[in-house]
Amino acid sequence: MHSRILVKNRNTDEIDALTSSDPIRTRPCPTCLMCGAAGISLYENLTDRLYAVPGTWSFKRCPNTSCGLVWLDPMPIESDVGRAYTNYFTHAPRPEDIHKNGIDWFKRVLANAYDYVWRFAPLHAERQELELMYLGGLPPGRVLEIGCGDGRRLAELRTRGWDVQGQEVDENAAHRARSTFGVPVFCGPLDQSGFHDKQFDAVVMNHVIEHVHDPVGLLRQSKRLLKAGGHLISITPNASGWGHKRFATSWHGLDPPRHLFLFSRNTMERMASVAGFRDVTTWTTAARSVWIVGGSLRIERGEAVHSIGPLITRAIRQAFLQLQAVLVRRADPNAGDECVLSARG
């Protein structure tokens, strides 16, 4: 689900000098990136319960209610953060490439049945818009996806008339995009891509901005690449959403140490304005709460399911919690599990 990050490759000698058992080096980040306020402790001494990266991690929150930014303190230094992705899901074989046992097969059956049921709900249309980064209703043009993953979203946009270009830092994902979908992908940091100013009609990123050390800088780069009046869409976990309040330290959106910053509507709007965008709007959505809820449940329970009975029980609980997330979002427009930023260059 997540897209990949924008980080520069470390020097080869430095990689050789560090082993997987060495701690990731960090730097203190005591103040808010956006308003300079001294952060207050939100969570302390968390561990990576998804990919078992060594170390403990703490989050701070900006006390300014008009801001509310959440960030890691201390934060991995840029030259080391790539080590947090050694076992990340983008480095693993795709499910269709590996042998499936009975439990894996049953999980896929449950997921397909679940998706089929939701096709008849009003939420399905919103989910389709979200998957297309809200470009489905716009006249096709040139689109860049930052952190494009395996390229399947760009392939779908191409069938709708868009001239597509991807950017990735994960060579495995970039190779899949090129070989499976024939999508052109630059592999490397965005500032080394050679893309021209005002080259694109739309720039999109899905679960990318929370991974970068300089989110405002990323938005400024995006604006440089957009034609006048071009569209920016950025989707990120919502730190002010219902899921975070429900799961707290088990919320899938925390993902330490890979998520360096966590945003809400206020912080996304402020960053876009600082970066020079106009017509800035934000909203939240619960259209994809199912995978955030599912990941949070796995973290909360701390267990792998190896038999069908517990798997069905967890699936029912996951469905119930997604329905709750949807209902809460209808009552509170700020409560969705994902925050969407839309702006014009």
mmCIF file with all atom_site columns, all heavy atoms in Angstrom, residues 1-5 85 88-90 133 145-149 153 167-168 204-208 210-211 259:
data_model
loop_
_atom_site.group_PDB
_atom_site.id
_atom_site.type_symbol
_atom_site.label_atom_id
_atom_site.label_alt_id
_atom_site.label_comp_id
_atom_site.label_asym_id
_atom_site.label_entity_id
_atom_site.label_seq_id
_atom_site.pdbx_PDB_ins_code
_atom_site.Cartn_x
_atom_site.Cartn_y
_atom_site.Cartn_z
_atom_site.occupancy
_atom_site.B_iso_or_equiv
_atom_site.pdbx_formal_charge
_atom_site.auth_seq_id
_atom_site.auth_comp_id
_atom_site.auth_asym_id
_atom_site.auth_atom_id
_atom_site.pdbx_PDB_model_num
ATOM 1   N N   . MET A 1 1   ? 0.814  -1.197 0.000   1.00 0.00 ? 1   MET A N   1
ATOM 2   C CA  . MET A 1 1   ? 0.000  0.000  0.000   1.00 0.00 ? 1   MET A CA  1
ATOM 3   C C   . MET A 1 1   ? 0.852  1.253  0.000   1.00 0.00 ? 1   MET A C   1
ATOM 4   O O   . MET A 1 1   ? 0.647  2.172  -0.769  1.00 0.00 ? 1   MET A O   1
ATOM 5   C CB  . MET A 1 1   ? -0.893 -0.033 1.238   1.00 0.00 ? 1   MET A CB  1
ATOM 6   C CG  . MET A 1 1   ? -1.971 0.988  1.254   1.00 0.00 ? 1   MET A CG  1
ATOM 7   S SD  . MET A 1 1   ? -3.161 0.654  -0.016  1.00 0.00 ? 1   MET A SD  1
ATOM 8   C CE  . MET A 1 1   ? -3.660 2.287  -0.376  1.00 0.00 ? 1   MET A CE  1
ATOM 9   N N   . HIS A 1 2   ? 1.822  1.265  0.904   1.00 0.00 ? 2   HIS A N   1
ATOM 10  C CA  . HIS A 1 2   ? 2.641  2.465  0.985   1.00 0.00 ? 2   HIS A CA  1
ATOM 11  C C   . HIS A 1 2   ? 3.518  2.601  -0.243  1.00 0.00 ? 2   HIS A C   1
ATOM 12  O O   . HIS A 1 2   ? 3.947  1.644  -0.845  1.00 0.00 ? 2   HIS A O   1
ATOM 13  C CB  . HIS A 1 2   ? 3.558  2.420  2.215   1.00 0.00 ? 2   HIS A CB  1
ATOM 14  C CG  . HIS A 1 2   ? 2.819  2.414  3.495   1.00 0.00 ? 2   HIS A CG  1
ATOM 15  N ND1 . HIS A 1 2   ? 2.153  1.318  3.954   1.00 0.00 ? 2   HIS A ND1 1
ATOM 16  C CD2 . HIS A 1 2   ? 2.620  3.386  4.417   1.00 0.00 ? 2   HIS A CD2 1
ATOM 17  C CE1 . HIS A 1 2   ? 1.594  1.605  5.120   1.00 0.00 ? 2   HIS A CE1 1
ATOM 18  N NE2 . HIS A 1 2   ? 1.865  2.858  5.408   1.00 0.00 ? 2   HIS A NE2 1
ATOM 19  N N   . SER A 1 3   ? 3.844  3.848  -0.569  1.00 0.00 ? 3   SER A N   1
ATOM 20  C CA  . SER A 1 3   ? 4.830  4.129  -1.584  1.00 0.00 ? 3   SER A CA  1
ATOM 21  C C   . SER A 1 3   ? 6.191  4.252  -0.923  1.00 0.00 ? 3   SER A C   1
ATOM 22  O O   . SER A 1 3   ? 6.327  4.300  0.292   1.00 0.00 ? 3   SER A O   1
ATOM 23  C CB  . SER A 1 3   ? 4.469  5.420  -2.315  1.00 0.00 ? 3   SER A CB  1
ATOM 24  O OG  . SER A 1 3   ? 3.226  5.291  -2.955  1.00 0.00 ? 3   SER A OG  1
ATOM 25  N N   . ARG A 1 4   ? 7.213  4.331  -1.757  1.00 0.00 ? 4   ARG A N   1
ATOM 26  C CA  . ARG A 1 4   ? 8.569  4.368  -1.228  1.00 0.00 ? 4   ARG A CA  1
ATOM 27  C C   . ARG A 1 4   ? 9.035  5.786  -0.976  1.00 0.00 ? 4   ARG A C   1
ATOM 28  O O   . ARG A 1 4   ? 8.367  6.740  -1.304  1.00 0.00 ? 4   ARG A O   1
ATOM 29  C CB  . ARG A 1 4   ? 9.507  3.647  -2.211  1.00 0.00 ? 4   ARG A CB  1
ATOM 30  C CG  . ARG A 1 4   ? 9.158  2.169  -2.344  1.00 0.00 ? 4   ARG A CG  1
ATOM 31  C CD  . ARG A 1 4   ? 9.408  1.410  -1.052  1.00 0.00 ? 4   ARG A CD  1
ATOM 32  N NE  . ARG A 1 4   ? 10.819 1.360  -0.791  1.00 0.00 ? 4   ARG A NE  1
ATOM 33  C CZ  . ARG A 1 4   ? 11.362 1.905  0.271   1.00 0.00 ? 4   ARG A CZ  1
ATOM 34  N NH1 . ARG A 1 4   ? 10.658 2.538  1.163   1.00 0.00 ? 4   ARG A NH1 1
ATOM 35  N NH2 . ARG A 1 4   ? 12.665 1.846  0.452   1.00 0.00 ? 4   ARG A NH2 1
ATOM 36  N N   . ILE A 1 5   ? 10.211 5.900  -0.409  1.00 0.00 ? 5   ILE A N   1
ATOM 37  C CA  . ILE A 1 5   ? 10.671 7.175  0.105   1.00 0.00 ? 5   ILE A CA  1
ATOM 38  C C   . ILE A 1 5   ? 11.684 7.836  -0.818  1.00 0.00 ? 5   ILE A C   1
ATOM 39  O O   . ILE A 1 5   ? 12.184 7.231  -1.744  1.00 0.00 ? 5   ILE A O   1
ATOM 40  C CB  . ILE A 1 5   ? 11.307 6.998  1.488   1.00 0.00 ? 5   ILE A CB  1
ATOM 41  C CG1 . ILE A 1 5   ? 12.499 6.049  1.392   1.00 0.00 ? 5   ILE A CG1 1
ATOM 42  C CG2 . ILE A 1 5   ? 10.305 6.504  2.481   1.00 0.00 ? 5   ILE A CG2 1
ATOM 43  C CD1 . ILE A 1 5   ? 13.301 5.957  2.644   1.00 0.00 ? 5   ILE A CD1 1
ATOM 44  N N   . TYR A 1 85  ? 14.613 -0.061 6.136   1.00 0.00 ? 85  TYR A N   1
ATOM 45  C CA  . TYR A 1 85  ? 13.810 -0.681 5.080   1.00 0.00 ? 85  TYR A CA  1
ATOM 46  C C   . TYR A 1 85  ? 14.382 -2.009 4.606   1.00 0.00 ? 85  TYR A C   1
ATOM 47  O O   . TYR A 1 85  ? 13.918 -2.565 3.612   1.00 0.00 ? 85  TYR A O   1
ATOM 48  C CB  . TYR A 1 85  ? 13.707 0.281  3.886   1.00 0.00 ? 85  TYR A CB  1
ATOM 49  C CG  . TYR A 1 85  ? 12.950 1.540  4.213   1.00 0.00 ? 85  TYR A CG  1
ATOM 50  C CD1 . TYR A 1 85  ? 13.604 2.624  4.797   1.00 0.00 ? 85  TYR A CD1 1
ATOM 51  C CD2 . TYR A 1 85  ? 11.583 1.656  3.966   1.00 0.00 ? 85  TYR A CD2 1
ATOM 52  C CE1 . TYR A 1 85  ? 12.923 3.782  5.118   1.00 0.00 ? 85  TYR A CE1 1
ATOM 53  C CE2 . TYR A 1 85  ? 10.899 2.812  4.283   1.00 0.00 ? 85  TYR A CE2 1
ATOM 54  C CZ  . TYR A 1 85  ? 11.572 3.869  4.859   1.00 0.00 ? 85  TYR A CZ  1
ATOM 55  O OH  . TYR A 1 85  ? 10.890 5.021  5.190   1.00 0.00 ? 85  TYR A OH  1
ATOM 56  N N   . TYR A 1 88  ? 11.621 -4.360 4.622   1.00 0.00 ? 88  TYR A N   1
ATOM 57  C CA  . TYR A 1 88  ? 10.351 -3.715 4.285   1.00 0.00 ? 88  TYR A CA  1
ATOM 58  C C   . TYR A 1 88  ? 9.606  -4.513 3.222   1.00 0.00 ? 88  TYR A C   1
ATOM 59  O O   . TYR A 1 88  ? 10.215 -5.245 2.438   1.00 0.00 ? 88  TYR A O   1
ATOM 60  C CB  . TYR A 1 88  ? 10.637 -2.301 3.791   1.00 0.00 ? 88  TYR A CB  1
ATOM 61  C CG  . TYR A 1 88  ? 9.481  -1.336 3.861   1.00 0.00 ? 88  TYR A CG  1
ATOM 62  C CD1 . TYR A 1 88  ? 8.775  -1.149 5.030   1.00 0.00 ? 88  TYR A CD1 1
ATOM 63  C CD2 . TYR A 1 88  ? 9.134  -0.577 2.756   1.00 0.00 ? 88  TYR A CD2 1
ATOM 64  C CE1 . TYR A 1 88  ? 7.736  -0.227 5.101   1.00 0.00 ? 88  TYR A CE1 1
ATOM 65  C CE2 . TYR A 1 88  ? 8.106  0.351  2.814   1.00 0.00 ? 88  TYR A CE2 1
ATOM 66  C CZ  . TYR A 1 88  ? 7.415  0.520  3.988   1.00 0.00 ? 88  TYR A CZ  1
ATOM 67  O OH  . TYR A 1 88  ? 6.391  1.433  4.052   1.00 0.00 ? 88  TYR A OH  1
ATOM 68  N N   . PHE A 1 89  ? 8.274  -4.361 3.186   1.00 0.00 ? 89  PHE A N   1
ATOM 69  C CA  . PHE A 1 89  ? 7.466  -5.204 2.315   1.00 0.00 ? 89  PHE A CA  1
ATOM 70  C C   . PHE A 1 89  ? 7.820  -5.044 0.835   1.00 0.00 ? 89  PHE A C   1
ATOM 71  O O   . PHE A 1 89  ? 7.633  -5.968 0.039   1.00 0.00 ? 89  PHE A O   1
ATOM 72  C CB  . PHE A 1 89  ? 5.973  -4.942 2.529   1.00 0.00 ? 89  PHE A CB  1
ATOM 73  C CG  . PHE A 1 89  ? 5.465  -3.636 1.977   1.00 0.00 ? 89  PHE A CG  1
ATOM 74  C CD1 . PHE A 1 89  ? 4.914  -3.561 0.714   1.00 0.00 ? 89  PHE A CD1 1
ATOM 75  C CD2 . PHE A 1 89  ? 5.538  -2.472 2.738   1.00 0.00 ? 89  PHE A CD2 1
ATOM 76  C CE1 . PHE A 1 89  ? 4.438  -2.365 0.208   1.00 0.00 ? 89  PHE A CE1 1
ATOM 77  C CE2 . PHE A 1 89  ? 5.063  -1.270 2.253   1.00 0.00 ? 89  PHE A CE2 1
ATOM 78  C CZ  . PHE A 1 89  ? 4.512  -1.208 0.978   1.00 0.00 ? 89  PHE A CZ  1
ATOM 79  N N   . THR A 1 90  ? 8.357  -3.895 0.437   1.00 0.00 ? 90  THR A N   1
ATOM 80  C CA  . THR A 1 90  ? 8.710  -3.705 -0.970  1.00 0.00 ? 90  THR A CA  1
ATOM 81  C C   . THR A 1 90  ? 9.911  -4.549 -1.381  1.00 0.00 ? 90  THR A C   1
ATOM 82  O O   . THR A 1 90  ? 10.154 -4.732 -2.572  1.00 0.00 ? 90  THR A O   1
ATOM 83  C CB  . THR A 1 90  ? 9.031  -2.233 -1.267  1.00 0.00 ? 90  THR A CB  1
ATOM 84  O OG1 . THR A 1 90  ? 10.083 -1.805 -0.406  1.00 0.00 ? 90  THR A OG1 1
ATOM 85  C CG2 . THR A 1 90  ? 7.813  -1.362 -1.069  1.00 0.00 ? 90  THR A CG2 1
ATOM 86  N N   . MET A 1 133 ? -5.828 8.686  -7.180  1.00 0.00 ? 133 MET A N   1
ATOM 87  C CA  . MET A 1 133 ? -5.276 9.953  -6.666  1.00 0.00 ? 133 MET A CA  1
ATOM 88  C C   . MET A 1 133 ? -6.138 11.138 -7.080  1.00 0.00 ? 133 MET A C   1
ATOM 89  O O   . MET A 1 133 ? -5.628 12.237 -7.326  1.00 0.00 ? 133 MET A O   1
ATOM 90  C CB  . MET A 1 133 ? -3.829 10.141 -7.144  1.00 0.00 ? 133 MET A CB  1
ATOM 91  C CG  . MET A 1 133 ? -2.890 9.012  -6.751  1.00 0.00 ? 133 MET A CG  1
ATOM 92  S SD  . MET A 1 133 ? -2.726 8.777  -4.967  1.00 0.00 ? 133 MET A SD  1
ATOM 93  C CE  . MET A 1 133 ? -1.813 10.231 -4.485  1.00 0.00 ? 133 MET A CE  1
ATOM 94  N N   . GLU A 1 145 ? 4.290  10.383 -10.600 1.00 0.00 ? 145 GLU A N   1
ATOM 95  C CA  . GLU A 1 145 ? 4.037  9.826  -9.266  1.00 0.00 ? 145 GLU A CA  1
ATOM 96  C C   . GLU A 1 145 ? 5.366  9.675  -8.547  1.00 0.00 ? 145 GLU A C   1
ATOM 97  O O   . GLU A 1 145 ? 6.246  8.928  -8.983  1.00 0.00 ? 145 GLU A O   1
ATOM 98  C CB  . GLU A 1 145 ? 3.321  8.488  -9.319  1.00 0.00 ? 145 GLU A CB  1
ATOM 99  C CG  . GLU A 1 145 ? 3.042  7.971  -7.909  1.00 0.00 ? 145 GLU A CG  1
ATOM 100 C CD  . GLU A 1 145 ? 2.158  6.743  -7.829  1.00 0.00 ? 145 GLU A CD  1
ATOM 101 O OE1 . GLU A 1 145 ? 1.875  6.137  -8.884  1.00 0.00 ? 145 GLU A OE1 1
ATOM 102 O OE2 . GLU A 1 145 ? 1.755  6.390  -6.693  1.00 0.00 ? 145 GLU A OE2 1
ATOM 103 N N   . ILE A 1 146 ? 5.508  10.406 -7.444  1.00 0.00 ? 146 ILE A N   1
ATOM 104 C CA  . ILE A 1 146 ? 6.695  10.316 -6.593  1.00 0.00 ? 146 ILE A CA  1
ATOM 105 C C   . ILE A 1 146 ? 6.511  9.124  -5.662  1.00 0.00 ? 146 ILE A C   1
ATOM 106 O O   . ILE A 1 146 ? 5.519  9.019  -4.950  1.00 0.00 ? 146 ILE A O   1
ATOM 107 C CB  . ILE A 1 146 ? 6.872  11.609 -5.789  1.00 0.00 ? 146 ILE A CB  1
ATOM 108 C CG1 . ILE A 1 146 ? 7.095  12.798 -6.738  1.00 0.00 ? 146 ILE A CG1 1
ATOM 109 C CG2 . ILE A 1 146 ? 8.028  11.477 -4.805  1.00 0.00 ? 146 ILE A CG2 1
ATOM 110 C CD1 . ILE A 1 146 ? 7.076  14.147 -6.038  1.00 0.00 ? 146 ILE A CD1 1
ATOM 111 N N   . GLY A 1 147 ? 7.480  8.205  -5.673  1.00 0.00 ? 147 GLY A N   1
ATOM 112 C CA  . GLY A 1 147 ? 7.332  6.975  -4.903  1.00 0.00 ? 147 GLY A CA  1
ATOM 113 C C   . GLY A 1 147 ? 6.287  6.084  -5.535  1.00 0.00 ? 147 GLY A C   1
ATOM 114 O O   . GLY A 1 147 ? 5.314  5.713  -4.888  1.00 0.00 ? 147 GLY A O   1
ATOM 115 N N   . CYS A 1 148 ? 6.478  5.724  -6.803  1.00 0.00 ? 148 CYS A N   1
ATOM 116 C CA  . CYS A 1 148 ? 5.417  5.049  -7.575  1.00 0.00 ? 148 CYS A CA  1
ATOM 117 C C   . CYS A 1 148 ? 5.308  3.566  -7.296  1.00 0.00 ? 148 CYS A C   1
ATOM 118 O O   . CYS A 1 148 ? 4.413  2.909  -7.824  1.00 0.00 ? 148 CYS A O   1
ATOM 119 C CB  . CYS A 1 148 ? 5.634  5.282  -9.066  1.00 0.00 ? 148 CYS A CB  1
ATOM 120 S SG  . CYS A 1 148 ? 7.134  4.506  -9.738  1.00 0.00 ? 148 CYS A SG  1
ATOM 121 N N   . GLY A 1 149 ? 6.213  2.996  -6.489  1.00 0.00 ? 149 GLY A N   1
ATOM 122 C CA  . GLY A 1 149 ? 6.118  1.571  -6.198  1.00 0.00 ? 149 GLY A CA  1
ATOM 123 C C   . GLY A 1 149 ? 6.263  0.733  -7.458  1.00 0.00 ? 149 GLY A C   1
ATOM 124 O O   . GLY A 1 149 ? 7.115  1.002  -8.313  1.00 0.00 ? 149 GLY A O   1
ATOM 125 N N   . ARG A 1 153 ? -0.496 1.855  -10.391 1.00 0.00 ? 153 ARG A N   1
ATOM 126 C CA  . ARG A 1 153 ? -1.403 3.000  -10.448 1.00 0.00 ? 153 ARG A CA  1
ATOM 127 C C   . ARG A 1 153 ? -1.159 3.815  -11.729 1.00 0.00 ? 153 ARG A C   1
ATOM 128 O O   . ARG A 1 153 ? -2.085 4.228  -12.408 1.00 0.00 ? 153 ARG A O   1
ATOM 129 C CB  . ARG A 1 153 ? -1.216 3.902  -9.229  1.00 0.00 ? 153 ARG A CB  1
ATOM 130 C CG  . ARG A 1 153 ? -2.230 5.042  -9.208  1.00 0.00 ? 153 ARG A CG  1
ATOM 131 C CD  . ARG A 1 153 ? -2.006 6.078  -8.125  1.00 0.00 ? 153 ARG A CD  1
ATOM 132 N NE  . ARG A 1 153 ? -1.120 5.674  -7.067  1.00 0.00 ? 153 ARG A NE  1
ATOM 133 C CZ  . ARG A 1 153 ? -1.486 5.050  -5.926  1.00 0.00 ? 153 ARG A CZ  1
ATOM 134 N NH1 . ARG A 1 153 ? -2.766 4.780  -5.713  1.00 0.00 ? 153 ARG A NH1 1
ATOM 135 N NH2 . ARG A 1 153 ? -0.602 4.737  -5.017  1.00 0.00 ? 153 ARG A NH2 1
ATOM 136 N N   . GLN A 1 167 ? 8.820  7.964  -10.265 1.00 0.00 ? 167 GLN A N   1
ATOM 137 C CA  . GLN A 1 167 ? 10.089 8.145  -9.548  1.00 0.00 ? 167 GLN A CA  1
ATOM 138 C C   . GLN A 1 167 ? 10.112 7.166  -8.395  1.00 0.00 ? 167 GLN A C   1
ATOM 139 O O   . GLN A 1 167 ? 9.111  6.967  -7.700  1.00 0.00 ? 167 GLN A O   1
ATOM 140 C CB  . GLN A 1 167 ? 10.237 9.575  -9.042  1.00 0.00 ? 167 GLN A CB  1
ATOM 141 C CG  . GLN A 1 167 ? 11.517 9.831  -8.242  1.00 0.00 ? 167 GLN A CG  1
ATOM 142 C CD  . GLN A 1 167 ? 11.380 9.518  -6.751  1.00 0.00 ? 167 GLN A CD  1
ATOM 143 O OE1 . GLN A 1 167 ? 10.267 9.471  -6.227  1.00 0.00 ? 167 GLN A OE1 1
ATOM 144 N NE2 . GLN A 1 167 ? 12.487 9.285  -6.076  1.00 0.00 ? 167 GLN A NE2 1
ATOM 145 N N   . GLU A 1 168 ? 11.237 6.513  -8.180  1.00 0.00 ? 168 GLU A N   1
ATOM 146 C CA  . GLU A 1 168 ? 11.401 5.519  -7.117  1.00 0.00 ? 168 GLU A CA  1
ATOM 147 C C   . GLU A 1 168 ? 12.832 5.556  -6.599  1.00 0.00 ? 168 GLU A C   1
ATOM 148 O O   . GLU A 1 168 ? 13.737 6.005  -7.310  1.00 0.00 ? 168 GLU A O   1
ATOM 149 C CB  . GLU A 1 168 ? 11.101 4.107  -7.638  1.00 0.00 ? 168 GLU A CB  1
ATOM 150 C CG  . GLU A 1 168 ? 9.794  3.495  -7.162  1.00 0.00 ? 168 GLU A CG  1
ATOM 151 C CD  . GLU A 1 168 ? 9.714  3.373  -5.663  1.00 0.00 ? 168 GLU A CD  1
ATOM 152 O OE1 . GLU A 1 168 ? 10.757 3.227  -5.013  1.00 0.00 ? 168 GLU A OE1 1
ATOM 153 O OE2 . GLU A 1 168 ? 8.600  3.429  -5.126  1.00 0.00 ? 168 GLU A OE2 1
ATOM 154 N N   . VAL A 1 204 ? 1.688  13.501 -7.972  1.00 0.00 ? 204 VAL A N   1
ATOM 155 C CA  . VAL A 1 204 ? 0.956  12.799 -6.920  1.00 0.00 ? 204 VAL A CA  1
ATOM 156 C C   . VAL A 1 204 ? 1.929  11.984 -6.081  1.00 0.00 ? 204 VAL A C   1
ATOM 157 O O   . VAL A 1 204 ? 2.979  11.550 -6.560  1.00 0.00 ? 204 VAL A O   1
ATOM 158 C CB  . VAL A 1 204 ? -0.148 11.889 -7.508  1.00 0.00 ? 204 VAL A CB  1
ATOM 159 C CG1 . VAL A 1 204 ? -1.156 12.703 -8.315  1.00 0.00 ? 204 VAL A CG1 1
ATOM 160 C CG2 . VAL A 1 204 ? 0.441  10.781 -8.379  1.00 0.00 ? 204 VAL A CG2 1
ATOM 161 N N   . MET A 1 205 ? 1.573  11.784 -4.818  1.00 0.00 ? 205 MET A N   1
ATOM 162 C CA  . MET A 1 205 ? 2.361  10.920 -3.933  1.00 0.00 ? 205 MET A CA  1
ATOM 163 C C   . MET A 1 205 ? 1.436  10.292 -2.904  1.00 0.00 ? 205 MET A C   1
ATOM 164 O O   . MET A 1 205 ? 0.589  10.960 -2.320  1.00 0.00 ? 205 MET A O   1
ATOM 165 C CB  . MET A 1 205 ? 3.502  11.702 -3.275  1.00 0.00 ? 205 MET A CB  1
ATOM 166 C CG  . MET A 1 205 ? 3.085  12.889 -2.450  1.00 0.00 ? 205 MET A CG  1
ATOM 167 S SD  . MET A 1 205 ? 4.503  13.888 -1.872  1.00 0.00 ? 205 MET A SD  1
ATOM 168 C CE  . MET A 1 205 ? 4.613  15.080 -3.205  1.00 0.00 ? 205 MET A CE  1
ATOM 169 N N   . ASN A 1 206 ? 1.578  9.005  -2.735  1.00 0.00 ? 206 ASN A N   1
ATOM 170 C CA  . ASN A 1 206 ? 0.719  8.229  -1.845  1.00 0.00 ? 206 ASN A CA  1
ATOM 171 C C   . ASN A 1 206 ? 1.548  7.646  -0.708  1.00 0.00 ? 206 ASN A C   1
ATOM 172 O O   . ASN A 1 206 ? 2.395  6.786  -0.934  1.00 0.00 ? 206 ASN A O   1
ATOM 173 C CB  . ASN A 1 206 ? 0.035  7.105  -2.626  1.00 0.00 ? 206 ASN A CB  1
ATOM 174 C CG  . ASN A 1 206 ? -0.872 6.259  -1.749  1.00 0.00 ? 206 ASN A CG  1
ATOM 175 O OD1 . ASN A 1 206 ? -1.775 6.769  -1.107  1.00 0.00 ? 206 ASN A OD1 1
ATOM 176 N ND2 . ASN A 1 206 ? -0.618 4.960  -1.721  1.00 0.00 ? 206 ASN A ND2 1
ATOM 177 N N   . HIS A 1 207 ? 1.353  8.147  0.504   1.00 0.00 ? 207 HIS A N   1
ATOM 178 C CA  . HIS A 1 207 ? 2.090  7.672  1.676   1.00 0.00 ? 207 HIS A CA  1
ATOM 179 C C   . HIS A 1 207 ? 3.599  7.760  1.442   1.00 0.00 ? 207 HIS A C   1
ATOM 180 O O   . HIS A 1 207 ? 4.337  6.793  1.600   1.00 0.00 ? 207 HIS A O   1
ATOM 181 C CB  . HIS A 1 207 ? 1.651  6.263  2.053   1.00 0.00 ? 207 HIS A CB  1
ATOM 182 C CG  . HIS A 1 207 ? 0.282  6.221  2.661   1.00 0.00 ? 207 HIS A CG  1
ATOM 183 N ND1 . HIS A 1 207 ? 0.040  5.890  3.968   1.00 0.00 ? 207 HIS A ND1 1
ATOM 184 C CD2 . HIS A 1 207 ? -0.937 6.515  2.126   1.00 0.00 ? 207 HIS A CD2 1
ATOM 185 C CE1 . HIS A 1 207 ? -1.265 5.974  4.218   1.00 0.00 ? 207 HIS A CE1 1
ATOM 186 N NE2 . HIS A 1 207 ? -1.870 6.358  3.107   1.00 0.00 ? 207 HIS A NE2 1
ATOM 187 N N   . VAL A 1 208 ? 4.037  8.955  1.083   1.00 0.00 ? 208 VAL A N   1
ATOM 188 C CA  . VAL A 1 208 ? 5.446  9.247  0.848   1.00 0.00 ? 208 VAL A CA  1
ATOM 189 C C   . VAL A 1 208 ? 5.947  10.328 1.792   1.00 0.00 ? 208 VAL A C   1
ATOM 190 O O   . VAL A 1 208 ? 7.010  10.193 2.407   1.00 0.00 ? 208 VAL A O   1
ATOM 191 C CB  . VAL A 1 208 ? 5.674  9.678  -0.619  1.00 0.00 ? 208 VAL A CB  1
ATOM 192 C CG1 . VAL A 1 208 ? 7.078  10.243 -0.814  1.00 0.00 ? 208 VAL A CG1 1
ATOM 193 C CG2 . VAL A 1 208 ? 5.441  8.512  -1.561  1.00 0.00 ? 208 VAL A CG2 1
ATOM 194 N N   . GLU A 1 210 ? 5.416  11.339 4.703   1.00 0.00 ? 210 GLU A N   1
ATOM 195 C CA  . GLU A 1 210 ? 5.718  11.033 6.110   1.00 0.00 ? 210 GLU A CA  1
ATOM 196 C C   . GLU A 1 210 ? 7.084  10.366 6.265   1.00 0.00 ? 210 GLU A C   1
ATOM 197 O O   . GLU A 1 210 ? 7.606  10.250 7.372   1.00 0.00 ? 210 GLU A O   1
ATOM 198 C CB  . GLU A 1 210 ? 4.632  10.158 6.725   1.00 0.00 ? 210 GLU A CB  1
ATOM 199 C CG  . GLU A 1 210 ? 4.486  8.767  6.118   1.00 0.00 ? 210 GLU A CG  1
ATOM 200 C CD  . GLU A 1 210 ? 3.531  8.730  4.941   1.00 0.00 ? 210 GLU A CD  1
ATOM 201 O OE1 . GLU A 1 210 ? 3.220  9.795  4.365   1.00 0.00 ? 210 GLU A OE1 1
ATOM 202 O OE2 . GLU A 1 210 ? 3.092  7.603  4.587   1.00 0.00 ? 210 GLU A OE2 1
ATOM 203 N N   . HIS A 1 211 ? 7.681  9.921  5.151   1.00 0.00 ? 211 HIS A N   1
ATOM 204 C CA  . HIS A 1 211 ? 8.966  9.222  5.200   1.00 0.00 ? 211 HIS A CA  1
ATOM 205 C C   . HIS A 1 211 ? 10.167 10.144 5.026   1.00 0.00 ? 211 HIS A C   1
ATOM 206 O O   . HIS A 1 211 ? 11.304 9.678  5.164   1.00 0.00 ? 211 HIS A O   1
ATOM 207 C CB  . HIS A 1 211 ? 9.027  8.162  4.089   1.00 0.00 ? 211 HIS A CB  1
ATOM 208 C CG  . HIS A 1 211 ? 8.098  7.011  4.265   1.00 0.00 ? 211 HIS A CG  1
ATOM 209 N ND1 . HIS A 1 211 ? 8.467  5.829  4.874   1.00 0.00 ? 211 HIS A ND1 1
ATOM 210 C CD2 . HIS A 1 211 ? 6.793  6.845  3.896   1.00 0.00 ? 211 HIS A CD2 1
ATOM 211 C CE1 . HIS A 1 211 ? 7.443  4.986  4.862   1.00 0.00 ? 211 HIS A CE1 1
ATOM 212 N NE2 . HIS A 1 211 ? 6.420  5.580  4.275   1.00 0.00 ? 211 HIS A NE2 1
ATOM 213 N N   . HIS A 1 259 ? 8.331  6.255  9.604   1.00 0.00 ? 259 HIS A N   1
ATOM 214 C CA  . HIS A 1 259 ? 7.544  7.482  9.540   1.00 0.00 ? 259 HIS A CA  1
ATOM 215 C C   . HIS A 1 259 ? 8.201  8.530  10.437  1.00 0.00 ? 259 HIS A C   1
ATOM 216 O O   . HIS A 1 259 ? 8.162  8.438  11.659  1.00 0.00 ? 259 HIS A O   1
ATOM 217 C CB  . HIS A 1 259 ? 6.101  7.215  9.979   1.00 0.00 ? 259 HIS A CB  1
ATOM 218 C CG  . HIS A 1 259 ? 5.321  6.450  8.964   1.00 0.00 ? 259 HIS A CG  1
ATOM 219 N ND1 . HIS A 1 259 ? 3.976  6.164  9.098   1.00 0.00 ? 259 HIS A ND1 1
ATOM 220 C CD2 . HIS A 1 259 ? 5.692  5.919  7.764   1.00 0.00 ? 259 HIS A CD2 1
ATOM 221 C CE1 . HIS A 1 259 ? 3.557  5.493  8.043   1.00 0.00 ? 259 HIS A CE1 1
ATOM 222 N NE2 . HIS A 1 259 ? 4.589  5.325  7.230   1.00 0.00 ? 259 HIS A NE2 1
#
